[in-house]
Amino acid sequence: MTAPEKQAETKASPKAVATASAFVREHGESGRAVVENLGRAGARLVLIGEDGALGDVMVPDVATGEAVVEAVDGLTAADWDGETTAALKIGAAHRRKMAGPRAR
């Protein structure tokens, strides 16, 4: 099976599409998505809303994450470039949460 055939078979799960769609609706009607490979654990679809909000959806693999991005209106595939990073607006509470127990 060739890579395009395999990608054509990859379907976005309805739950992942619904979660990402709700995020886009709640955070400005458009957003960016970065698909991060997590190895055996699957992939993380990092969502950045138009308002700078950060969210994520876990999916089984990168191809599924890409399929979710394609299925959600207003969501655009992105990389961790300067423009995407600058679009984030992370508050102090979220920074403390990301830093873990030592930061508290």
Side-chain angles (χ1 to χ4, degrees):
M1 181 180 305
T2 65
E5 289 172 347
K6 183 177 181 181
Q7 190 172 20
E9 290 179 11
T10 303
K11 302 260 186 202
S13 79
K15 183 177 180 181
V17 170
T19 301
S21 295
F23 179 88
V24 170
R25 270 192 316 277
E26 293 169 14
H27 297 285
E29 299 299 325
S30 71
R32 301 166 189 256
V34 179
V35 181
E36 297 177 334
N37 186 358
L38 300 177
R40 290 185 197 168
R44 178 180 183 214
L45 181 59
V46 182
L47 305 170
I48 301 102
E50 190 176 302
D51 64 356
L54 177 67
D56 63 357
V57 178
M58 297 300 294
V59 293
D61 53 42
V62 171
T64 303
E66 291 168 347
V68 171
V69 174
E70 290 178 19
V72 176
D73 288 335
L75 200 55
T76 305
D79 292 314
W80 285 120
D81 55 18
E83 190 176 316
T84 300
T85 305
L88 284 170
K89 292 183 179 69
I90 300 173
H94 191 80
R95 289 181 194 279
R96 281 191 299 276
K97 181 179 177 184
M98 290 189 315
R102 289 185 172 185
R104 294 185 189 116

